Amino acid sequence: MAGQAPAFARVGHQVVATLTETAPEVVAEAAARAVLSASGRTPWVLQVFTPDTPRGNALAPFAESLEAAVAARLPAERRVEDAQRAREAGAVLFSLCVAPDGVTVVGAVTAREAVSLAPGGRRRMRRAGDAPSRAAMKLEEALDGLAFEPGRGDVCADLGAAPGGWTQRLVSRGAKVVAVDPARLMPELTGHARVKHVQESAFSYAPDEPVDWLFCDMAWRPLEVAQLLAKWGRRGWAQHLVANIKLPMKDKNPILLRVRHTLTQEGGWEGLTVRQLYHDRDEVTVTAHKLK
Ligand SMILES: C[S@@+](CC[C@H](N)C(=O)[O-])C[C@H]1O[C@@H](n2cnc3c(N)ncnc32)[C@H](O)[C@@H]1O
């Protein structure tokens, strides 16, 4: 849809060159020339990725050496160290996609408009030793893309919190969490001073007073979850929203359009982003905020 970043794409960039040479030196030279002519005098950051397939992954060592060879041919004074800083510096993010059969595609996008700042959209994370599930990695990946992050002293509501991966990540950042879920939390969270477990359905829960952050990872029907999040928005119960919406159905887009509409038109949530993160499965993660 015009003006909206695609929800189900890992990367999106303009192709500035498609190279079919195979000799490493020749590929590096041609890729560097393409980057130089596209970057002009703007700061740049370079990433390399391979398609997320067995054949693509086998090319990882070549891709890594290509990244170094291309970077060595580019002006070091305009280099930005990493993609996160590239966003702040207004830099262009160049991606070299090293594909099978000797094809290398050079893509460019301004870092601020990039769908993901991770190479190829694959945000890799070591599993945190104390996290109970992959859910925690979804949360960390979602927080990566935000201008603000929940921190010390913030009050968070976590709807569909059990067994507690998100709640655990939030308290480890210093936040206080009201964890709403009929199911049990993991033992280390039950007696935690900054965790209040409300063991009831999120559909019947109302906060005593507005919170800073609304998190939601409820395994429930997407349109009903969207209605619930819209209610929180309309009533001004939270300032920031991070929610994972389950989309187990085959035809996801019509549902997603309705979810978007409900959140923005009925809930008044602003700055909505909708993305299937690297750690998401049949689901998307939405973020939004309320204007003060
Ligand atoms: C994917 S799990 C959440 C995982 C959690 N974010 C974590 O990091 O551990 C989905 C949860 O949604 C909860 N859930 C489903 N319906 C709910 C409802 N009406 N109210 C509250 N929680 C609900 C389930 O009990 C389940 O614990």
Side-chain angles (χ1 to χ4, degrees):
M1 196 189 265
Q4 285 173 353
F8 296 103
R10 282 212 193 144
V11 290
H13 51 223
Q14 192 188 348
V15 173
V16 295
T18 302
L19 312 173
T20 49
E21 296 87 349
T22 48
E25 285 299 296
V26 181
V27 181
E29 197 58 47
R33 261 202 315 276
V35 170
L36 272 174
S37 75
S39 68
R41 303 209 60 75
T42 33
W44 58 272
V45 65
L46 183 67
Q47 292 184 337
V48 176
F49 68 94
T50 61
D52 192 2
T53 61
R55 282 183 81 205
N57 288 331
L59 296 166
F62 171 64
E64 231 171 82
S65 61
L66 181 65
E67 179 174 17
V70 174
R73 289 169 164 81
L74 298 175
E77 67 281 2
R78 292 204 295 279
R79 179 180 194 161
V80 182
E81 269 320 304
D82 59 57
Q84 204 72 43
R85 275 186 222 142
R87 209 167 246 186
E88 291 146 28
V92 178
L93 170 60
F94 287 96
S95 293
L96 307 178
C97 173
V98 177
D101 303 322
V103 176
T104 299
V105 178
V106 185
V109 63
T110 56
R112 283 186 191 137
E113 289 173 323
V115 171
S116 167
L117 291 179
R122 294 162 83 176
R123 165 69 154 95
R124 293 170 194 278
M125 246 170 274
R126 252 193 247 135
R127 217 180 234 252
D130 51 354
S133 61
R134 277 177 66 83
M137 295 192 277
K138 286 192 307 198
L139 176 68
E140 291 296 331
E141 189 182 358
L143 295 180
D144 267 1
L146 296 179
F148 308 100
E149 292 191 11
R152 190 163 297 281
D154 281 347
V155 179
C156 308
D158 185 6
L159 311 184
W166 286 26
T167 293
Q168 195 267 349
R169 302 309 300 162
L170 295 168
V171 292
S172 75
R173 288 163 171 266
K176 295 180 195 157
V177 184
V178 182
V180 185
D181 199 310
R184 284 199 190 159
L185 292 183
M186 54 179 165
E188 57 267 46
L189 288 176
T190 48
H192 197 291
R194 279 184 279 111
V195 177
K196 180 178 166 199
H197 186 192
V198 177
Q199 213 159 356
E200 65 181 62
S201 168
F203 288 103
S204 54
Y205 170 74
D208 295 334
E209 49 189 49
V211 299
D212 299 299
W213 290 82
L214 171 60
F215 292 91
C216 177
D217 190 22
M218 278 165 59
W220 196 251
R221 299 183 194 113
L223 298 178
E224 289 171 40
V225 171
Q227 291 290 349
L228 176 63
L229 301 176
K231 178 172 87 177
W232 277 71
R234 248 186 343 265
R235 299 193 178 174
W237 285 349
Q239 198 62 42
H240 302 279
L241 170 69
V242 176
N244 188 279
I245 306 284
K246 316 296 168 193
L247 297 170
M249 65 293 297
K250 209 162 175 226
D251 198 2
K252 301 181 188 329
N253 274 321
I255 303 292
L256 207 47
L257 284 176
R258 290 172 67 188
V259 168
R260 275 186 199 272
H261 183 270
T262 302
L263 293 178
T264 55
Q265 304 305 305
E266 296 177 29
W269 288 105
E270 306 272 343
L272 188 75
T273 70
V274 181
R275 276 203 59 219
Q276 185 183 39
L277 303 177
Y278 180 56
H279 291 97
D280 281 340
R281 297 208 166 125
D282 267 348
E283 53 200 359
V284 292
T285 299
V286 306
T287 67
H289 57 264
K290 293 292 285 189
L291 293 180
K292 280 234 177 181

